[in-house]
Amino acid sequence: MSRAERKKKEEVEIRKRLTSLQWRINNLYWIQTKKGRLLKFKMNQVQLDLFNNLWWINYVLKSRQLGVSTLIAILMLDYSIFRWDDLVTGGSIFQTHKICGIIDKTKPDAEKKLDKIKLAYDMLDYKDDPINATLGKEIKKNIKTKSRTKLYMSWDNGCSIYAGDAFRGLTGQFLHITEIGHVSLHWPQKAIEIKTGTLNATHEGSRVFIETTHMGGRSGVSYDLMKLAQASPKTEEEGLTYKDIRFFFFNWMQDK
């Protein structure tokens, strides 16, 4: 096999890997543990269950420390870099012009979520990852950071992520609404604005993750959304559409 043939074969293999969302999620990204240790991200069972059943709008009722918000952060970064739609043979694998939003109970909490994304992007070419460091370097060469603040990050491919306690005046293609139970209990009017403003601004093709503990119990916007999700059809065969919410429940017994 000639050098040119070997290079072509390598390029085909790399493209094959990079067009697999699951491969990218389990191989490209790094996170920081609670103890401050850098760790290659690999989906645990809860994360894998969520990943394998992703829908357009997802309501995740959960206990703490299962890694759900970390998975969503990694997915948001991946969505900002790579196309998720069906790739045309020979077409670009890289994403363009998508707006993402993180809505948390406070701006400092939203900043922490965005910090996970910044770290994962910065670590794409981490030297201690000999298998994927070269690949990560090429990705960062194609998708360069354009702007970074505490609550905002953008790239030169036109993709951007906004973080805060609200998401007004923008139509996002990927939204992470976290701790809606806490917001519903302590700031019910803000929760109403999230439901009527932010969620109603989504459209066909938008990816939405609403994840929360059961704080607030059987009352408020969070409970209303949960009941709506539970009442939705379970599968497409049963009539589930992009406007419906898929319900997930992960309890503390699923934490090893």
Side-chain angles (χ1 to χ4, degrees), residues 237-254:
E237 289 73 21
E238 295 176 10
L240 185 71
T241 73
Y242 77 92
K243 293 182 179 180
D244 295 312
I245 307 172
R246 175 165 278 175
F247 178 73
F248 296 86
F249 175 56
F250 301 116
N251 62 61
W252 62 270
M253 290 183 290
Q254 291 168 273

Side-chain angles (χ1 to χ4, degrees), residues 25-42:
I25 297 303
N26 271 332
N27 289 275
L28 291 180
Y29 304 111
W30 287 77
I31 60 173
Q32 191 170 37
T33 67
K34 295 291 183 182
K35 295 181 179 180
R37 186 166 67 93
L38 292 173
L39 184 70
K40 173 64 76 69
F41 181 78
K42 299 283 185 183

Side-chain angles (χ1 to χ4, degrees), residues 63-80:
S63 65
R64 296 188 181 279
Q65 307 301 321
L66 294 177
V68 172
S69 62
T70 298
L71 172 62
I72 297 171
I74 296 299
L75 289 171
M76 184 177 288
L77 172 60
D78 189 89
Y79 184 82
S80 300

Side-chain angles (χ1 to χ4, degrees), residues 119-142:
L119 174 71
Y121 174 80
D122 292 342
M123 298 285 290
L124 277 171
D125 55 353
Y126 186 41
K127 61 181 177 59
D128 287 351
D129 182 12
I131 297 176
N132 296 312
T134 301
L135 185 56
K137 186 176 182 179
E138 287 299 313
I139 293 169
K140 291 175 74 171
K141 186 185 296 183
N142 281 276

Side-chain angles (χ1 to χ4, degrees), residues 38-102:
L38 292 173
L39 184 70
K40 173 64 76 69
F41 181 78
K42 299 283 185 183
M43 285 186 281
N44 62 32
Q45 190 56 55
V46 167
Q47 293 164 336
L48 187 61
D49 287 349
L50 176 57
F51 177 87
N52 285 334
N53 295 283
L54 292 180
W55 193 241
W56 305 102
I57 308 176
N58 307 273
Y59 185 101
V60 185
L61 181 64
K62 64 182 184 65
S63 65
R64 296 188 181 279
Q65 307 301 321
L66 294 177
V68 172
S69 62
T70 298
L71 172 62
I72 297 171
I74 296 299
L75 289 171
M76 184 177 288
L77 172 60
D78 189 89
Y79 184 82
S80 300
I81 296 175
F82 295 100
R83 287 175 56 187
W84 278 21
D85 53 338
D86 293 333
L87 294 171
V88 178
T89 302
S92 174
I93 62 175
F94 293 114
Q95 187 66 277
T96 59
H97 300 97
K98 299 295 184 183
I99 297 175
C100 303
I102 301 168

Side-chain angles (χ1 to χ4, degrees), residues 2-3 12 21 76 98 106 124 154 169 186 188 207-208 251:
S2 67
R3 180 180 298 179
V12 170
L21 174 58
M76 184 177 288
K98 299 295 184 183
T106 67
L124 277 171
S154 67
H186 295 284
R207 301 279 179 169
V208 180
N251 62 61

Side-chain angles (χ1 to χ4, degrees), residues 106-119:
T106 67
K107 288 182 179 179
D109 288 305
E111 182 183 341
K112 291 176 183 177
K113 299 288 193 306
L114 183 57
D115 283 344
K116 293 182 179 182
I117 294 172
K118 291 175 180 176
L119 174 71

